[in-house]
Amino acid sequence: MVILLASCKHDASQQEQQDVEVSKEIIALPTLEVYDYEGLKPLLKTRSDSTYIVNFWATWCAPCIKELPYFEAINKNYKDRNVSVTLVSLDFPKKYESHLKPYIRDNEIKSRVVVLNDSDSNTWIPAIDPDWSGAIPATLIYNKSKRAFYEQPFTYEELETELQKFLN
Amino acid sequence: MKKIKGIIAIAAVVLLSSFATVNTGYKIGDIASDFSLKNVDGNMVSLSNYSNAKGFIVIFTSNTCPYSVAYEDRILALDKTYASKGYPVIAIMPNNPTLQTGDTMEAMQRRAQQKGFTFPYVMDEGQKTASQYGATKTPQVYVLQKTTNGNQVKYIGAIDENYQDASAVQHKYVENAVESLLAGQPIKETQTRAIGCSIKY
């Protein structure tokens, strides 16, 4: 132990780097909520007074990853306005361990993440919105009286503008 | 700062208006325009080059989209089965390669060679063809039938319903559509939907 400490002194920066890597490994990978469309359905409607933002994304989708921090920020900044963000991942099952879970952990995603694994997309895509071609990113905003679907990427400002229409 | 915001706003408007044009693409029954697009072998490809074809399986696809990659073998199989029956595959890469750097002509050439593509893999430079067709994502298929009026759109949508597992597929949408056309029968499902990667305009 003494020897170890001594060697630390000699090469503190390297040791620090190792510590960071070690601590990353220690934080366990998150567990996933995986649903088929039937399981996801309850997350797409509400009777409560909350407003929900549901974003369809995947770790391989570059524009999704780009806009994800804006959804995280909205989730944080509008929490006290009864707004809740759900991130619905469409990652392939074989990527759950290698890509999705590490992404959620390393980016400290605070919004609720669920995974949709349902190959019958020809049924559930039009059920979620008749105009959705199936391209992602795509976002659904709804409360008990209003609903809107967006097949487009968002900036923070654009997302906030759309959200405001549900809050006023 | 205000100027920058202005530029961003203009960019957003341009971006949104490009989405609007995308959504006004072809519907079933429309006549699809021909194109002249550069293939991975350097030659230009047009539908009019195929004098013996009865129609086409036009597939918007890319190197970088995992859904496209998952379907590559099935796209090869479609061409193998239907090119000789008069419905060759034409694969079009619709992404803007400056936005999607994995989809340059060089990358397309490598991919075509690695996978042994038996069909043209052309770049939609300027992305006019994709927006004309109304393609929003990769992969997205348009089955066309040659008529006296031109190439008529007969099917728009997915290759099948299961991107994950080719052996578990129950609905071979494109295959069924082409078989129906070959048999002179109406296509049961003319439009289907699947998740895909948005085209980078």
Side-chain angles (χ1 to χ4, degrees):
Chain A
M1 193 62 191
V2 174
I3 296 164
L4 194 70
L5 283 173
S7 74
C8 264
K9 263 186 190 166
H10 286 298
D11 200 348
S13 66
Q14 197 187 347
Q15 186 61 41
E16 250 170 54
Q17 212 172 357
Q18 276 174 7
D19 283 347
V20 171
E21 275 165 26
V22 168
S23 68
K24 230 182 193 180
E25 271 169 34
I26 295 170
I27 301 172
L29 289 170
T31 53
L32 292 177
E33 294 178 70
V34 184
Y35 297 119
D36 60 7
Y37 180 60
E38 281 307 307
L40 184 73
K41 257 184 179 172
L43 306 184
L44 305 178
K45 60 178 180 219
T46 187
R47 287 182 186 163
S48 77
D49 292 325
S50 297
T51 298
Y52 292 88
I53 302 177
V54 181
N55 174 248
F56 295 88
W57 69 293
T59 58
W60 48 259
C61 164
C64 304
I65 295 305
K66 195 176 165 200
E67 68 172 6
L68 214 110
Y70 313 139
F71 286 82
E72 280 282 281
I74 289 281
N75 192 47
K76 188 177 164 216
N77 299 343
Y78 282 84
K79 210 152 233 169
D80 55 4
R81 304 276 312 265
N82 264 339
V83 174
S84 175
V85 171
T86 307
L87 303 172
V88 180
S89 159
L90 292 160
D91 278 271
F92 298 177
K94 61 180 175 193
K95 301 284 185 187
Y96 291 171
E97 296 298 324
S98 61
H99 288 70
L100 181 56
K101 286 181 178 184
Y103 183 86
I104 296 166
R105 179 194 62 188
D106 298 344
N107 293 281
E108 297 175 21
I109 302 298
K110 299 282 189 297
S111 306
R112 181 179 180 185
V113 179
V114 303
V115 188
L116 176 59
N117 180 25
D118 192 327
S119 63
D120 191 15
S121 54
N122 193 35
T123 304
W124 59 256
I125 290 172
I128 289 171
D129 189 86
D131 292 329
W132 186 12
S133 80
I136 58 170
T139 300
L140 171 72
I141 306 180
Y142 71 92
N143 58 26
K144 63 183 172 189
S145 56
K146 208 169 152 185
R147 194 174 184 86
F149 191 83
Y150 310 86
E151 183 175 321
Q152 64 168 83
F154 275 110
T155 62
Y156 183 85
E157 289 75 19
E158 286 166 351
L159 184 58
E160 194 171 40
T161 303
E162 290 308 314
L163 176 61
Q164 290 295 346
K165 295 177 186 170
F166 287 79
L167 300 179
N168 297 327
Chain B
M1 191 62 196
K2 259 194 180 160
K3 204 173 172 188
I4 293 170
K5 272 191 180 162
I7 291 167
I8 292 170
I10 290 165
V13 169
V14 170
L15 200 69
L16 287 173
S17 59
S18 77
F19 276 107
T21 27
V22 163
N23 289 331
T24 56
Y26 293 143
K27 293 173 197 70
I28 301 299
D30 286 354
I31 299 298
S33 317
D34 202 352
F35 44 75
S36 179
L37 300 174
K38 197 184 227 176
N39 191 13
V40 285
D41 66 5
N43 295 321
M44 302 305 283
V45 172
S46 297
L47 299 178
S48 59
N49 298 151
Y50 292 77
S51 48
N52 294 327
K54 294 174 186 162
F56 301 93
I57 304 172
V58 175
I59 306 181
F60 290 93
T61 187
S62 63
N63 280 9
T64 49
C65 178
Y67 283 89
S68 293
V69 173
Y71 273 109
E72 274 170 350
D73 290 338
R74 280 173 266 186
I75 293 171
L76 274 161
L78 280 173
D79 189 60
K80 199 175 171 197
T81 309
Y82 293 110
S84 57
K85 293 183 180 173
Y87 282 84
V89 166
I90 314 279
I92 302 178
M93 203 300 293
N95 286 328
N96 179 346
T98 54
L99 297 176
Q100 193 77 17
T101 49
D103 282 327
T104 59
M105 180 47 93
E106 293 72 36
M108 289 168 61
Q109 287 165 338
R110 274 197 300 276
R111 189 49 146 245
Q113 198 177 14
Q114 276 166 5
K115 291 298 291 184
F117 284 177
T118 52
F119 45 82
Y121 186 27
V122 301
M123 176 172 273
D124 185 12
E125 214 180 321
Q127 304 175 285
K128 280 194 190 123
T129 304
S131 76
Q132 227 166 23
Y133 275 64
T136 59
K137 62 186 175 7
T138 59
Q140 190 167 352
V141 183
Y142 291 76
V143 175
L144 312 179
Q145 185 180 38
K146 237 187 221 181
T147 69
T148 46
N149 299 325
N151 293 298
Q152 192 173 31
V153 178
K154 290 291 186 180
Y155 171 84
I156 303 173
I159 293 167
D160 58 50
E161 94 294 1
N162 195 331
Y163 65 87
Q164 285 185 38
D165 185 358
S167 63
V169 168
Q170 292 179 348
H171 304 282
K172 296 184 173 180
Y173 302 130
V174 168
E175 229 178 280
N176 294 345
V178 178
E179 287 292 346
S180 299
L181 291 175
L182 287 169
Q185 277 165 6
I187 297 169
K188 273 186 199 142
E189 279 184 287
T190 55
Q191 291 204 69
T192 61
R193 272 184 267 193
I195 292 294
C197 309
S198 58
I199 292 172
K200 314 298 182 293
Y201 282 97

